[in-house]
Amino acid sequence: SVTIYRDLFALVTETRTVDLPEGAVTLVFEGVVDTLIPQSAVIADTGRSVDESNYDYERLSPASLLEKSIGKEVMLSRTDEKTGNVRQVPAGVVAANTDGIVFRTREGNEALWCSGLPEMLTFDSIPGELHQTPRLSIRLAAGTAGKRQVRISYIAHGFAWSADYLAHLGSRPAGDTMDLAGWITLRNLTGSSFHEAEVQLVAGRLNLLDSEEDPGTSLYGSTSAYVDAQDLQE
């Protein structure tokens, strides 16, 4: 279920079935919303105490893959433009940032794409700290073994809603009747999908913290940036 508030926040709640061992265990919930606020995560119905909670999501991208591969060996493929022959050379990644990529081969240190030949780097593996999808890991203390249906809830950024209304006046001369129809528009600004999720909407404004260390505002800004200002006043 997704409960959408103003100010681009939502409370996401889901239920999953897990088979807990008797000893301490770390539950890993994959597919959580990538904009979740880690300190808001709460797990219930485990029958155990929570020792630790972590949000593990360093997005897998070409930049992060190179950064995590510094000091490791990759395969450099170079194509000769005249002959079309491809030559593969082992190369160690020395540096990778917005200024470029530096690697070391038997021929010395050089920058990627400075040879004048078409080049490509091939990686044997993906570093374990990089993930294609976000995940939340929760460490539980030891307890009774068995299957349990646990409930995980957390607050996430990137949700908005607005309401439009259409009034149908009665056809009688007095015109003293009216049918009111409402239309809700939902906006999901995250990279997650919610198949057949129950949706609830909460009007009014959140009491956000006013602090330099924790301003409590959404990463996406304010609701007024995504819905009509007049709708916010209704």
Side-chain angles (χ1 to χ4, degrees):
S1 65
V2 182
T3 303
I4 305 176
Y5 299 87
R6 295 294 191 179
D7 300 300
L8 301 175
F9 287 99
L11 175 65
V12 180
T13 301
E14 58 178 289
T15 301
R16 303 193 185 189
T17 301
V18 296
D19 193 356
L20 299 178
E22 185 174 343
V25 64
T26 298
L27 295 181
V28 178
F29 297 90
E30 296 186 344
V32 294
V33 182
D34 55 356
T35 58
L36 74 84
I37 302 175
Q39 57 269 33
S40 71
V42 176
I43 189 170
D45 303 329
T46 62
R48 306 185 184 188
S49 60
V50 176
D51 289 341
E52 184 179 354
S53 178
N54 295 297
Y55 176 53
D56 308 318
Y57 187 36
E58 190 165 358
R59 187 185 296 272
L60 175 61
S61 66
S64 64
L65 180 58
L66 281 165
E67 182 181 354
K68 295 298 181 181
S69 298
I70 294 177
K72 299 179 181 179
E73 187 173 278
V74 298
M75 189 62 67
L76 172 65
S77 299
R78 284 179 169 170
T79 304
D80 191 298
E81 293 181 331
K82 295 182 179 179
T83 64
N85 295 331
V86 178
R87 180 168 61 98
Q88 291 188 329
V89 180
V93 181
V94 177
N97 49 50
T98 55
D99 295 326
I101 303 166
V102 178
F103 55 89
R104 181 184 295 110
T105 65
R106 292 180 180 178
E107 300 173 357
N109 298 321
E110 55 183 301
L112 187 65
W113 300 312
C114 286
S115 66
L117 301 174
E119 297 176 334
M120 179 181 66
L121 292 179
T122 304
F123 301 80
D124 291 335
S125 61
I126 297 176
E129 58 267 36
L130 297 179
H131 307 285
Q132 297 182 8
T133 58
R135 62 185 198 172
L136 180 69
S137 61
I138 298 178
R139 181 72 176 175
L140 299 178
T144 304
K147 288 187 177 181
R148 288 184 177 272
Q149 196 174 56
V150 300
R151 186 175 68 255
I152 181 77
S153 301
Y154 54 85
I155 296 175
H157 303 280
F159 300 85
W161 69 271
S162 60
D164 296 284
Y165 303 96
L166 181 64
H168 297 273
L169 297 178
S171 58
R172 294 187 297 175
D176 57 356
T177 62
M178 180 180 70
D179 293 329
L180 188 64
W183 182 267
I184 299 295
T185 301
L186 305 178
R187 296 198 180 186
N188 177 10
L189 308 175
T190 72
S192 303
S193 59
F194 303 87
H195 182 64
E196 295 184 353
E198 295 182 0
V199 178
Q200 301 179 77
L201 307 177
V202 178
R205 296 186 179 276
L206 295 176
N207 183 22
L208 300 178
L209 298 176
D210 186 12
S211 168
E212 293 182 359
E213 296 181 357
D214 188 3
T217 54
S218 173
L219 298 174
Y220 290 85
S222 63
T223 306
S224 58
Y226 297 91
V227 299
D228 187 78
Q230 182 179 358
D231 177 62
L232 292 178
Q233 300 173 358
E234 295 179 348

